[in-house]
Every structure is written in structure tokens, then in C-alpha cells.
Amino acid sequence: MQSLDGLKFAEMVQMGAHHLFQNANYVDSLNVFPVPDGDTGTNMNLSMTSGAKETELQASEHIGKTAQALSKGLLMGARGNSGVILSQLFRGFGKFIEKQATIDAKGFAGAFQAGVDTAYKAVMKPVEGTILTVAREAAKKGVEVADTENDIIAVMEAFTAEAKASLERTPDLLPVLKEVGVVDSGGQGLLFVYEGFLASLKGEPLPKKNDATLDDLINAEHHRAQDFMNTVDIEFGYCTEIMVRFEEDKEPFSEEQFRNELNPLGDSLLVISDEEIAKVHIHSEQPGAVLAMGQKYGSLIKIKVDNMREQHSAIVGEDHKAPVSTKKVEKHPYAIVTIAMGEGIAELLRSIGASYVIEGGQTMNPSTEDIVKAVQEIGAEKVLILPNNKNIVMAAEQAVELLDIEAAVVPTKTIPQGMAAILSFNPEATVEVNQTTMTDALANVKTGQVTYAVRDTSIDGVEIHKDDFMALAEGKIVLSTPALKDAAEKVITDLVDEDAEIVTIIYGEDTTEENAATLVKFIEENYPDIEVELFNGKQGLYPYIISVE
């Protein structure tokens, strides 16, 4: 096959989506941290399904138009970090061929390479040994083969074979995978998509569904992948984005010259421009210098600077449901849109200043489109989005790019962080100032959680048995025990120090008020100077969410 059109590509998308759908549970099983919310396969499946649906509706013989339909569907349906990265891979793919009616082998390989470039730029600090590595190494091989091979099927065969080989190498790049003895879950999901593409091109049935269970895979201890990245490893600490509107009385703009001027200031540099505007993204230690360089060419019409060290330091550690609010949405000129699981938590967040609460969180990450629709429904002129979950931050950031109002993400990873951020909100301040202030507030709160183990394992010397209650202090498992009371008290003793003033206990739907009151009594007896607040969050999965300030 020397030429690929849009209708054939649409068939590839459908088969790739179906193959991922068939194996979503297997991909989920590779999320080995033993809490009940490993959902990479679910997120990728829902994201790809959204892309496939849009592709089916908008399929055209013009491959550029079909690829744009896939890009749109993925973009709006992206859920979780894995779904966002998948959407970025095909966003770059679609952009590369948007004007082409058909493509040849070189164009096919080039589109995949463009997708990799786009995805890497979308991630603040790419981690090798993940879906990004699999996509990058496969694309590189595809480009190499396309230099001497004009058969698209042959290129896709090489592409898929290299993706599989790259996936097998991921444990050598990411220590968490080697400890557990599994491959990267996101990379595995991507390989399923590619295998579907290849089967479609060759007119063959899909590869056999993988029915392996987690118990077949895991016989070793493991850690969270983010534990292997330290804040001090971030060389360029400020994620800086600006938009420059060109002016006639300023210096003539050259994209190449501007890129060369900015390059010494940091990494992850992206400069995109047209006749009127340039958009810049760079990680730098000198955001002020970036702004000054932009002003040489015109007016700064958008400025966004994130302290990535603060963001990283803040990290702690069913079915999808559409955005809901349990009361009528009021219109606000300046709004806070946040995400939470549990009616009680939603009401608590509203009571302290949240304008709209999207139902979601653990196991049910809202999509980019869900977040966009929530913001649009509230009708505000300025919006701050609080994900309250590390796996929703990228979807929230992607939503901001699709909005035509002033909006920013405060990268909250837990409900306590979300509460601290809301309480730091100043309705008189700009979006940028609030984003900085609210992000800074995350360092003032510690998060504890009690949940249950979904499998036997061992982490950091803690022996864990299925159905045990696990005490998590700042995302680290510090105790596994059959007794809920013991787990909750362990969280308190690990998080409370001499600087602690307030402990907030949010108990879930599987915890009684009587049990929660017993925990309050424990604190009052052992820490008499600490103020205790108790709320019924009605959340599932987590009997207790605890905040220490």
C-alpha cells in the first residue's frame, strides 16, 4: 500500500479503539499501586472511544479532515494524564497532515513523529520509560524505515514491532516497573492501538485479547513512579507562557531569531506564530527575561508563569460520570471550578467558595470536555480550575487552552489542598496572582488518607494484605492493618507535628459518625492544643481524608 486516504484511516482508528477497549482491564491491571483507583486503561479507552466516535461521524476521503476529526474527539474526550498524552500524540499527527488528501509512507511516518513532538511539548517534565518513550522510539523507527520503504504496511509493521520492543525496555528506564516486573501501562495501551491499526491495514483479525490478571503479573514490591523524581532535579523551575501581539513600531519579528534568543534561557521551548501573534512556552529560571524579549516585538496579551518546583512539592499522592452540581448553578464574574468525589465534600467546597463542583476524582476522572462544559455553564469571565487529583491536572490544563476567557489551573492534588487553595482566593486579584497565591498555599497543608488494599504486596517494608486498611501520609503508605481505627490514628500521629494547629477529618460513606467521633476523641486526648473539625464527606473508597494545617 503506497497511499492512505481518510476512509481507510478511519477504519484503522475504529480497529485501534476496539482493540484497546478489549484490553482496557489488562492495561488497568498494570497500575500496581494497591489502591482501588488504577485506571490508565479506563482513561485511555474512554479517550480513544471519543476519538473514534468523532472520526466515524466525520470520516472523509480527505485524510487530513479525518485526522482532524480524530484529534478533536480525542482532545475533548481526554481523561487522565494517559488520555491527555494520547490526545496530544494524535493532535500533532493531525496537524501534520491537515491539508493532505492522501499520504504516502514518508507522510505517514512523519505524522507520527509530529505527534511525538507535540506530546513531549505538552508534558512539563517528560519521564522516560512511559508512553512517551514508546511513542518516540516507534516513531523514530518508522521514519527510518520510510526513508527506504514506500509500503505503508511495512512502515506500520516496523512501527508496531519497535513499539513492542520499546515497551519491553520500559522497566530498564523506570525503576518502579523493574521492581514490580511489569511494563508501563500507558505504553501498553498505546501498543494496543497500534496493533489495531496494523491489523486494519493488513485486513487481518485483531490479536487475541490479553486475559492475564494482575495476580499473574506481580510478585514483587513496588513504589509510585513519581517517587523517583525529586524536586531538586528540576533544572529550570518556571513554566513560562506568553503571547505577543506584533506592533509596527516594534522590532520586526522572526520566529527563528526569537527561538534562538530564547533557547539559552531554558528548555522545553516552543514558539508558534502567525502574521499577528506569537505564542511561547519555555521552562526557564528567568521568566522576566522571557517577558522582556517578547516585548521587543509587541504587546504581551497573555502571561502565565508557574513555579514547577512548588507544583512538584505539592504532589501527594466505575464509570465516568458527567459534571453535576447538586444545586442550581449561579452566574459569577469570577469563579472557582473544582472536582470532588462525594456529595458531602462537594457541599463543603461550595460552602468555602467553590462556584461549581464537577463530580469525579478517584476512578472517574472527568474529561477535558467535561471541564470545558462546566466552565461554560457557569458563565464566568475569569475562572480558576482546581483538579484535586494528580491524574486530572493535565486534562484541566488542556481545558484552559480551549477556553476563550481568562482561566488558569491551580494544580491541587488532594481535597485538603483544594480547600487550602479556595481559602486563599482573593476576588480582587487577577487570575495570574490568584493562581500563584493559591498554589503557594498548598505547601501549608498535609494530606492523610485511609483506603483499602486491592491486593497483597509489599511497599517500603510495609507488608500489605488484600482488604487491609492502608494509612497514607502525604501519599506514602505508612501502615497496613485490618483495623480502620489503627490506620486512621497512624495517619494522625505521622502528620501532626509541633506546628500543627488544625486537623480536619472528612469521613466517607463506609464510616459511621460514631467511629469518626472516636478519632476526634483520640486527637483531643493526645493533642489538646489542636483544633479539630469533622465533616461527613460521603465519599467512596476512602473512609477518611484528613487535613493537617
Side-chain angles (χ1 to χ4, degrees), residues 151-176:
D151 182 4
I152 291 174
I153 295 177
V155 172
M156 191 70 222
E157 285 178 328
F159 198 78
T160 306
E162 183 60 27
K164 184 175 182 179
S166 178
L167 180 67
E168 295 300 322
R169 293 191 294 266
T170 55
D172 297 325
L173 298 174
L174 200 58
V176 59

Short mmCIF file of all heavy atoms in Angstrom, two decimals, residues 151-176:
data_model
loop_
_atom_site.label_atom_id
_atom_site.label_comp_id
_atom_site.label_asym_id
_atom_site.label_seq_id
_atom_site.Cartn_x
_atom_site.Cartn_y
_atom_site.Cartn_z
N ASP A 151 6.09 1.22 1.19
CA ASP A 151 4.89 0.47 1.53
C ASP A 151 4.44 0.87 2.94
O ASP A 151 5.15 0.65 3.93
CB ASP A 151 5.18 -1.03 1.48
CG ASP A 151 3.94 -1.87 1.79
OD1 ASP A 151 2.85 -1.29 1.98
OD2 ASP A 151 4.08 -3.11 1.87
N ILE A 152 3.26 1.46 3.06
CA ILE A 152 2.76 1.93 4.34
C ILE A 152 2.58 0.79 5.33
O ILE A 152 2.85 0.93 6.53
CB ILE A 152 1.43 2.69 4.14
CG1 ILE A 152 1.69 4.00 3.41
CG2 ILE A 152 0.73 2.96 5.48
CD1 ILE A 152 0.45 4.76 3.02
N ILE A 153 2.16 -0.36 4.84
CA ILE A 153 2.00 -1.51 5.74
C ILE A 153 3.34 -1.92 6.33
O ILE A 153 3.44 -2.23 7.53
CB ILE A 153 1.36 -2.70 4.99
CG1 ILE A 153 -0.07 -2.35 4.58
CG2 ILE A 153 1.38 -3.96 5.85
CD1 ILE A 153 -0.77 -3.43 3.78
N ALA A 154 4.38 -1.91 5.51
CA ALA A 154 5.71 -2.27 6.01
C ALA A 154 6.18 -1.28 7.07
O ALA A 154 6.80 -1.66 8.07
CB ALA A 154 6.71 -2.32 4.85
N VAL A 155 5.87 -0.01 6.86
CA VAL A 155 6.24 1.01 7.84
C VAL A 155 5.48 0.78 9.15
O VAL A 155 6.04 0.86 10.24
CB VAL A 155 5.95 2.42 7.29
CG1 VAL A 155 6.15 3.48 8.37
CG2 VAL A 155 6.85 2.72 6.10
N MET A 156 4.18 0.46 9.04
CA MET A 156 3.39 0.23 10.24
C MET A 156 3.85 -1.04 10.96
O MET A 156 3.83 -1.10 12.20
CB MET A 156 1.90 0.12 9.88
CG MET A 156 0.95 0.14 11.07
SD MET A 156 0.86 1.75 11.87
CE MET A 156 0.88 1.29 13.61
N GLU A 157 4.28 -2.04 10.22
CA GLU A 157 4.82 -3.25 10.85
C GLU A 157 6.07 -2.92 11.66
O GLU A 157 6.22 -3.37 12.80
CB GLU A 157 5.14 -4.29 9.78
CG GLU A 157 3.92 -4.98 9.20
CD GLU A 157 4.28 -5.97 8.10
OE1 GLU A 157 5.28 -5.73 7.39
OE2 GLU A 157 3.57 -6.99 7.96
N ALA A 158 6.97 -2.14 11.05
CA ALA A 158 8.19 -1.76 11.76
C ALA A 158 7.87 -0.88 12.96
O ALA A 158 8.46 -1.02 14.04
CB ALA A 158 9.13 -1.01 10.80
N PHE A 159 6.92 -0.03 12.75
CA PHE A 159 6.47 0.90 13.79
C PHE A 159 5.94 0.12 15.00
O PHE A 159 6.31 0.37 16.16
CB PHE A 159 5.37 1.77 13.19
CG PHE A 159 5.08 3.04 13.93
CD1 PHE A 159 5.91 4.13 13.79
CD2 PHE A 159 3.97 3.14 14.74
CE1 PHE A 159 5.63 5.31 14.47
CE2 PHE A 159 3.69 4.31 15.41
CZ PHE A 159 4.53 5.40 15.28
N THR A 160 5.08 -0.85 14.75
CA THR A 160 4.46 -1.64 15.82
C THR A 160 5.48 -2.54 16.50
O THR A 160 5.47 -2.69 17.73
CB THR A 160 3.30 -2.48 15.27
OG1 THR A 160 2.38 -1.62 14.58
CG2 THR A 160 2.57 -3.22 16.37
N ALA A 161 6.35 -3.13 15.72
CA ALA A 161 7.39 -4.00 16.30
C ALA A 161 8.29 -3.21 17.23
O ALA A 161 8.66 -3.69 18.31
CB ALA A 161 8.20 -4.66 15.18
N GLU A 162 8.65 -2.00 16.83
CA GLU A 162 9.52 -1.19 17.67
C GLU A 162 8.78 -0.70 18.92
O GLU A 162 9.37 -0.60 20.00
CB GLU A 162 10.07 0.01 16.89
CG GLU A 162 11.04 0.88 17.68
CD GLU A 162 12.27 0.13 18.15
OE1 GLU A 162 12.65 -0.85 17.49
OE2 GLU A 162 12.86 0.54 19.17
N ALA A 163 7.49 -0.41 18.78
CA ALA A 163 6.69 -0.02 19.96
C ALA A 163 6.68 -1.15 20.98
O ALA A 163 6.81 -0.93 22.19
CB ALA A 163 5.27 0.35 19.55
N LYS A 164 6.54 -2.39 20.48
CA LYS A 164 6.53 -3.54 21.39
C LYS A 164 7.89 -3.72 22.05
O LYS A 164 7.97 -3.96 23.27
CB LYS A 164 6.15 -4.80 20.61
CG LYS A 164 6.02 -6.03 21.48
CD LYS A 164 5.52 -7.23 20.68
CE LYS A 164 5.33 -8.45 21.60
NZ LYS A 164 4.82 -9.62 20.83
N ALA A 165 8.95 -3.56 21.27
CA ALA A 165 10.30 -3.69 21.83
C ALA A 165 10.58 -2.59 22.84
O ALA A 165 11.17 -2.83 23.90
CB ALA A 165 11.33 -3.66 20.71
N SER A 166 10.14 -1.40 22.52
CA SER A 166 10.32 -0.27 23.43
C SER A 166 9.56 -0.49 24.73
O SER A 166 10.07 -0.19 25.82
CB SER A 166 9.85 1.02 22.76
OG SER A 166 9.97 2.13 23.64
N LEU A 167 8.36 -1.01 24.60
CA LEU A 167 7.56 -1.30 25.79
C LEU A 167 8.29 -2.29 26.69
O LEU A 167 8.31 -2.13 27.92
CB LEU A 167 6.20 -1.87 25.37
CG LEU A 167 5.24 -2.23 26.50
CD1 LEU A 167 4.80 -0.98 27.24
CD2 LEU A 167 4.03 -2.99 25.95
N GLU A 168 8.89 -3.31 26.10
CA GLU A 168 9.63 -4.30 26.89
C GLU A 168 10.85 -3.69 27.58
O GLU A 168 11.32 -4.21 28.61
CB GLU A 168 10.07 -5.46 25.99
CG GLU A 168 8.93 -6.27 25.41
CD GLU A 168 8.06 -6.90 26.49
OE1 GLU A 168 8.62 -7.35 27.51
OE2 GLU A 168 6.82 -6.94 26.32
N ARG A 169 11.34 -2.57 27.05
CA ARG A 169 12.51 -1.91 27.66
C ARG A 169 12.14 -0.91 28.75
O ARG A 169 13.01 -0.40 29.45
CB ARG A 169 13.32 -1.19 26.58
CG ARG A 169 14.01 -2.10 25.57
CD ARG A 169 15.01 -1.34 24.71
NE ARG A 169 14.37 -0.37 23.84
CZ ARG A 169 14.02 -0.61 22.58
NH1 ARG A 169 14.20 -1.82 22.05
NH2 ARG A 169 13.46 0.34 21.84
N THR A 170 10.85 -0.60 28.88
CA THR A 170 10.47 0.43 29.86
C THR A 170 10.92 0.10 31.29
O THR A 170 11.28 1.03 32.03
CB THR A 170 8.95 0.71 29.83
OG1 THR A 170 8.22 -0.51 30.03
CG2 THR A 170 8.55 1.34 28.51
N PRO A 171 10.94 -1.16 31.72
CA PRO A 171 11.43 -1.42 33.09
C PRO A 171 12.89 -1.05 33.30
O PRO A 171 13.32 -0.82 34.43
CB PRO A 171 11.22 -2.93 33.25
CG PRO A 171 10.11 -3.27 32.31
CD PRO A 171 10.38 -2.39 31.12
N ASP A 172 13.67 -1.00 32.21
CA ASP A 172 15.07 -0.60 32.35
C ASP A 172 15.23 0.90 32.53
O ASP A 172 16.30 1.37 32.94
CB ASP A 172 15.87 -1.04 31.10
CG ASP A 172 15.89 -2.56 30.94
OD1 ASP A 172 15.93 -3.25 31.97
OD2 ASP A 172 15.87 -3.03 29.79
N LEU A 173 14.17 1.65 32.22
CA LEU A 173 14.24 3.11 32.31
C LEU A 173 13.53 3.65 33.55
O LEU A 173 13.87 4.74 34.02
CB LEU A 173 13.59 3.72 31.06
CG LEU A 173 14.27 3.40 29.73
CD1 LEU A 173 13.45 3.94 28.57
CD2 LEU A 173 15.68 3.98 29.69
N LEU A 174 12.56 2.91 34.05
CA LEU A 174 11.79 3.37 35.20
C LEU A 174 11.87 2.31 36.30
O LEU A 174 11.30 1.24 36.18
CB LEU A 174 10.33 3.60 34.78
CG LEU A 174 9.48 4.51 35.67
CD1 LEU A 174 10.10 5.90 35.80
CD2 LEU A 174 8.07 4.63 35.09
N PRO A 175 12.58 2.61 37.38
CA PRO A 175 12.82 1.60 38.42
C PRO A 175 11.56 0.96 38.98
O PRO A 175 11.57 -0.23 39.31
CB PRO A 175 13.56 2.40 39.51
CG PRO A 175 14.26 3.49 38.77
CD PRO A 175 13.32 3.86 37.65
N VAL A 176 10.47 1.74 39.08
CA VAL A 176 9.24 1.16 39.64
C VAL A 176 8.78 -0.04 38.83
O VAL A 176 8.29 -1.03 39.38
CB VAL A 176 8.13 2.24 39.69
CG1 VAL A 176 7.82 2.81 38.34
CG2 VAL A 176 6.87 1.66 40.31
#
